[in-house]
């Protein structure tokens, strides 16, 4: 035996599988065991697979050929729980791939990839002779299947099913039953049945209820009845009502469950069709050691026990127990509450324990298929029941009840042996026969009449290991019910007279050749019917009657696609690019493919889509390249186009914006990007608290701010797979002053025109001005403009307002102080090499200073201001009755600012004078 395992550092115990054998008396015995608390549990299945529960997302796969004594690394980074013999998904730089290799010679060199493209994570499923996975590209998910390890082909659902999800329900008898959640469904799925290869699917039942459990697991309300092939139970949800249906022919026909006429006490149920039926819960148990809400078994054909209710629909809180021994033809109520069920001796003994959260010591059992029930005290001390286990073998009459007395105690294992209750093995006279029929009483099911054996109610004997339930089977003649609609067809509504007829969907052309039809071969057009898989009927009616054999025509190429390997459309210069060309339909042997890669490379290929070999290329220069492929033969042509972005990854992003702006003043937001990647970058702008960004292909946008305050501006630059972000805060003010600045010409030679350089120059100018004038740095903002010559604007902000005081902006002396130090050539800084840069006032057309808030301007004539300073006048406007009086003062010491003795001292005096003026600006009332 070969074992496979995927050990991980953080292993989660799955629980002990083997519990200690307990020597038992004639009925019961009890023992304690601490199981599954400090062990690693491995699930071994036939053929040699081990599943290990662990927290690591991508464990390594190891192999052992000596029952686990020695382990060898088989493959790194495989997907947990999706490993089969010689197959499994592995992570590659392009995503997850499906790979295969031989067990004893598995390496990167020996890996085979039956499917060339990437597959979705955790989508690989192996069941019986089928392998399934899904692959998502360009927001479309496609499902693929391989039958008997053959090539992978696309699963063909109806064209406009547009599945959001697909779940494998059954793969028995060389057929696939899938549940598909289509584009319009939220909590229901549609059931589809396949042909033997699992490729072409036909609808069998709509709107089956689903529920989503922990870890995003989806449960579909459908149950395959074990023991009788072709029988399924399903819960259908229509208009909010859930009803239970049963089929005997793999979904070709569905019926409601017949209600019993009396309850468990013999009283009439008053439940009659069509207004009332039996409905069952079809839930799986979270605990693997107890039965679900419906219990069936392969060795007990026809015996079904389930929890549900009578009525017009399924009621969640009602869980009465019902039983049938003739595969759903007749039902009986046995309990008023849900019970856990265990079948022993091929269903000869049915054991039931109430599903409850309180401790128990009594179980119930029946030896006549639920007609009568007896009780048994399996323990003297009540226990919380955790599960039921039977000894190996379907013929066993020995079971174990395990649980715990308290929540802190160890497991209590109680062995129950029913063998002393039966004194002899069964003989032929102890059995009777029953015939399988559907709810209409028809015995021909799946093309044959089947009879089964069951033990008589009066016989207390053991069926034993040699018991077989099947008695006879006789083939029937074929009828309409043995056929269902083929792919692309649907059955007429049952209300119409031609209810058994199949008609083609509007999107399907029955006469069209199949996609794999090759010139020179023949194909058979479908008449809309196909035989139910595993149906063994012979002769009789055959709606498929003699379909015509047609010659495969020379088909023009259709569905041509060109893509980059990995489905990306952005690459880097000098990087190897692999172009994949695919053709969905049409002849490929006589088709020529003209390829133009957009940079001057052109070529003509034959058998391009047949071999599947990619076209390798390399772009050296950034840009957008138009790649085109034209497929042409004598029947027609098709063309595919792909635009490829070749760009270098973004390295740096800097958001450049004036830090101080006025209300409703237009301001430019500029994103400085390295490298620039023109025409390849998309910019996303978030202004303020808005969640909806502005999009632009230009790196600059203009905007206005309508209210004062601090506004955060954020920009993201996206180019290919590279995304960068930067953010700035803009102060929006209603009033501020702007002084235009000019630098000596030596600075232009040292200007690299980068945002960081401009920011540093602005900071040094602000720092020097604050030092010379005494104005706090937080009230000065120097913004150096991009480009040459090097210019700047000095923003002079108002100090925070004082309570009950109104500031007159035209009398602010800070502007005079700033101009004085600039005129005195006291603001300068050194560059590399000792070059001194002088900062001065820049001449403008109006020689004015701008006020924030709507872009208004106020004029300050410097000479006029100095003249006013010289006057030293004191003007006092007094308030007459009903008028407001303002006091305006001019500091006589302002002339000291021009003293050549101590410039700094003069500036400080000016600032002090300003403070004095501020005090004199208060509103006065006389």
């Amino acid at each position: 035996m070969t074992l496979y395992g995927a050990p991980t550092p953080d292993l989660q115990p799955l629980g002990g599988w083997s519990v200690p054998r307990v020597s038992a008396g004639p009925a019961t015995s009890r023992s304690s065991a601490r199981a599954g608390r400090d062990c690693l549990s491995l699930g071994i299945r036939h053929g040699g697979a081990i599943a290990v529960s662990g927290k690591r997302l991508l464990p390594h796969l190891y192999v052992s050929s000596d029952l686990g004594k020695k382990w060898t690394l088989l493959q790194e980074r495989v997907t947990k729980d999706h490993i089969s013999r010689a197959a499994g998904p592995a992570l590659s730089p392009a995503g997850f791939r499906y790979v295969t290799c031989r067990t004893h010679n598995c390496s990167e060199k020996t890996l085979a990839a039956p499917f060339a493209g990437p597959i979705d994570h955790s989508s690989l499923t192996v069941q019986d002779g089928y392998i399934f996975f899904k692959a998502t590209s360009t927001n479309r998910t496609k499902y693929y299947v391989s039958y008997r390890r053959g090539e992978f082909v696309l699963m063909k659902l109806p064209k406009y099913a547009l599945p959001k999800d697909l779940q494998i329900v059954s793969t028995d008898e060389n057929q696939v039953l899938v549940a598909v959640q289509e584009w319009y469904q939220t909590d229901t799925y549609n059931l589809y049945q396949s042909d033997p290869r699992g490729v072409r699917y036909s609808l069998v039942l709509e709107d089956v209820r689903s529920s989503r459990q922990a870890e995003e697991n989806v449960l579909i309300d459908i149950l395959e009845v074990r023991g009788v092939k072709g029988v399924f139970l399903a819960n259908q949800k229509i208009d909010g009502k859930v009803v239970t249906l049963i089929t005997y022919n793999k979904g070709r026909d569905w019926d409601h469950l017949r209600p019993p006429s009396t309850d468990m006490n013999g009283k009439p149920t008053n439940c009659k069709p069509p207004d009332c039926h039996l409905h069952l819960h079809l839930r799986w148990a979270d605990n693997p050691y107890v039965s679900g809400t419906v219990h069936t078994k392969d060795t007990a054909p026809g015996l079904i026990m389930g929890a549900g209710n009578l009525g017009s629909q399924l009621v969640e809180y009602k869980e009465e127990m019902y039983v049938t021994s003739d595969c759903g033809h007749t039902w009986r109520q046995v309990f008023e509450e849900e019970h856990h069920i265990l079948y022993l001796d091929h269903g000869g003994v049915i054991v039931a324990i109430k599903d409850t959260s309180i401790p128990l010591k009594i179980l119930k059992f029946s030896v006549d298929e639920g007609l009568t029930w007896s009780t048994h005290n399996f323990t003297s001390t009540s226990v919380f029941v955790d599960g039921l286990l039977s000894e190996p073998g379907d013929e066993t009459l020995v079971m174990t009840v395990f649980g715990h007395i308290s929540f802190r105690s160890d497991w209590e294992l109680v062995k129950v042996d029913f063998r002393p209750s039966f004194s002899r093995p069964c003989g032929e006279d102890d059995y009777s026969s029953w015939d399988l029929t559907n709810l209409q009483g028809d015995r021909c099911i799946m093309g044959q009449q089947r009879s089964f054996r069951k033990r008589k109610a009066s016989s207390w004997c053991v069926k034993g290991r040699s018991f077989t339930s099947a008695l006879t089977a006789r083939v029937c003649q074929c009828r309409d019910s043995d056929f269902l609609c083929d792919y692309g067809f649907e059955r007429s509504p049952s209300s119409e007279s031609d209810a058994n007829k199949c008609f083609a969907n509007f999107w399907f052309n029955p006469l069209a050749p199949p996609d794999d039809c090759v010139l020179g071969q023949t194909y058979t057009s479908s008449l809309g019917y196909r035989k139910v898989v595993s149906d063994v009927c012979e002769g009789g009616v055959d709606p498929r009657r003699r379909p015509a054999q047609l010659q495969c025509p020379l088909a023009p190429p259709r569905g041509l696609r060109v893509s980059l390997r990995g489905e990306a459309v952005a690459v880097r210069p000098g990087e190897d690019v692999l172009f994949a060309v695919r053709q969905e339909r049409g002849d490929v042997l006589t088709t020529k493919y003209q390829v133009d890669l957009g940079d001057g490379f052109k070529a003509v290929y034959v058998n391009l889509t047949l071999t599947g070999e990619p076209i390798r290329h390399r772009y050296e220069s950034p840009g957008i390249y138009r790649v085109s492929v034209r497929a042409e033969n004598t029947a027609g042509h098709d063309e595919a186009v792909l635009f490829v972005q070749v760009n270098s990854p973004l390295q740096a992003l800097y958001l450049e914006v004036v830090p101080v702006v006025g209300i409703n003043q237009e301001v430019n937001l500029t994103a400085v990007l390295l490298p620039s990647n023109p025409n390849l970058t998309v910019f996303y702008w978030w202004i303020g608290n808005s969640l909806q960004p502005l999009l632009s292909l230009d790196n600059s946008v203009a905007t206005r701010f309508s209210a004062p305050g601090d506004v955060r501006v954020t920009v993201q630059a996206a180019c290919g797979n590279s995304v960068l972000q930067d953010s700035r805060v803009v102060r929006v003010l209603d009033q501020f002053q702007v002084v235009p600045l000019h630098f000596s010409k030596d600075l232009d030679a040292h200007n690299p025109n980068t945002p960081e350089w401009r920011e540093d120059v602005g900071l040094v100018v602000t720092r020097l001005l604050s030092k010379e004038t005494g104005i706090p740095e937080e009230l000065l903002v120097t913004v150096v403009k991009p480009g040459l010559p090097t210019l700047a604007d000095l923003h002079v902000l108002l100090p925070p307002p004082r309570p009950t005081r109104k500031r007159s902006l035209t009398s602010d002396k800070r502007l005079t102080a700033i101009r004085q130090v600039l005129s005195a050539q006291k603001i300068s800084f050194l560059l590399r090499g000792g070059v001194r840069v002088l900062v001065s006032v820049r001449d403008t057309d109006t020689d004015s200073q701008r006020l924030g808030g709507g872009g208004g301007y106020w004029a300050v004539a410097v000479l006029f201001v100095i003249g006013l300073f010289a006057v030293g006048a004191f003007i006092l406007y007094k308030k007459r009755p009903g008028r407001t009086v303002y006091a305006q003062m001019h500091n006589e010491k302002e002339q000291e600012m021009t003293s050549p003795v101590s410039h700094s001292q003069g500036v400080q005096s000016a600032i002090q004078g300003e403070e004095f003026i501020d005090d004199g600006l208060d509103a006065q009332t006389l």
Side-chain angles (χ1 to χ4, degrees), residues 4-11 40 42 52-54 56 59-62 71:
Y4 298 86
T8 64
D10 302 315
L11 295 172
L40 167 65
L42 304 178
V52 180
S53 175
R56 280 181 54 185
H60 296 172
L61 178 64
Y62 291 81
W71 293 89

Side-chain angles (χ1 to χ4, degrees), residues 430-449:
D430 295 309
Y431 296 105
S432 61
S433 64
W434 65 277
D435 298 329
L436 176 65
T437 64
N438 60 18
L439 298 190
Q440 287 72 37
D442 187 0
R443 290 192 58 196
C444 284
I445 298 177
M446 298 294 289
Q448 58 181 335
Q449 296 180 354

Side-chain angles (χ1 to χ4, degrees), residues 195-265:
D195 57 9
R197 295 173 54 236
V199 176
R200 301 161 71 92
Y201 289 82
S202 300
L203 180 67
V204 293
L205 183 63
E206 294 183 286
D207 298 318
V208 179
R209 186 178 71 165
S210 69
S211 58
R212 192 169 294 275
Q213 304 296 318
E215 298 182 357
E216 296 300 312
N217 290 328
V218 177
L219 298 183
I220 314 296
D221 274 20
I222 184 168
L223 177 76
E224 183 175 10
V225 176
R226 299 164 61 183
V228 182
K229 296 298 183 180
V231 181
F232 288 85
L233 293 168
N235 280 335
Q236 188 179 51
K237 184 177 181 179
I238 299 179
D239 297 331
K241 295 177 60 176
V242 179
V243 297
T244 302
L245 304 176
I246 188 171
T247 178
Y248 292 88
N249 52 8
K250 284 194 170 184
R252 201 276 185 188
D253 300 292
W254 295 85
D255 292 295
H256 293 274
L257 295 180
R258 287 182 177 175
S261 57
T262 59
D263 62 13
M264 58 180 295
N265 299 316

Side-chain angles (χ1 to χ4, degrees), residues 480-492:
D480 289 335
S481 59
D482 296 305
F483 298 86
L484 51 78
C485 294
D486 202 353
Y487 170 77
F489 292 81
E490 287 186 7
R491 198 191 305 184
S492 301

Side-chain angles (χ1 to χ4, degrees), residues 383-543:
V383 298
F384 294 93
V385 176
D386 293 324
L388 308 177
L389 295 173
S390 62
E391 293 289 328
D394 294 317
E395 75 284 352
T396 184
L397 284 167
V398 181
M399 62 169 291
T400 300
V401 181
F402 69 93
H404 54 279
I405 297 177
S406 67
F407 289 105
R408 296 189 177 184
S409 66
D410 296 335
W411 276 353
E412 296 289 328
L413 286 83
V414 182
K415 185 175 182 179
V416 182
D417 192 350
F418 288 93
R419 288 176 297 184
S421 301
F422 301 93
S423 58
R424 62 181 180 85
C426 293
E428 289 297 329
D429 295 337
D430 295 309
Y431 296 105
S432 61
S433 64
W434 65 277
D435 298 329
L436 176 65
T437 64
N438 60 18
L439 298 190
Q440 287 72 37
D442 187 0
R443 290 192 58 196
C444 284
I445 298 177
M446 298 294 289
Q448 58 181 335
Q449 296 180 354
R450 285 175 285 180
S451 298
F452 298 89
R453 294 194 304 172
K454 65 178 182 179
R455 191 180 60 195
K456 296 178 180 178
S458 58
S459 297
W460 281 66
C461 56
V462 179
K463 296 181 181 179
R465 180 176 301 179
S466 60
F467 172 76
T468 56
S469 57
L471 187 61
T472 60
R474 186 173 67 86
V475 176
C476 301
Q477 285 192 339
C478 294
R479 301 173 299 176
D480 289 335
S481 59
D482 296 305
F483 298 86
L484 51 78
C485 294
D486 202 353
Y487 170 77
F489 292 81
E490 287 186 7
R491 198 191 305 184
S492 301
S494 57
S495 59
E496 298 182 7
S497 58
D498 52 352
N500 287 322
K501 292 185 178 181
C502 298
F503 61 93
N505 283 285
F506 72 94
W507 50 264
F508 182 71
N509 180 8
L511 299 179
D515 296 341
D516 56 354
C517 196
V518 179
L519 183 65
Q521 297 180 353
T522 61
Y523 70 96
T524 302
S525 62
S526 175
L527 297 179
Y529 303 90
R530 74 175 183 220
K531 198 173 183 181
V532 177
V533 176
S534 302
D535 191 300
V536 296
C537 71
E538 297 177 354
V541 174
D542 188 355

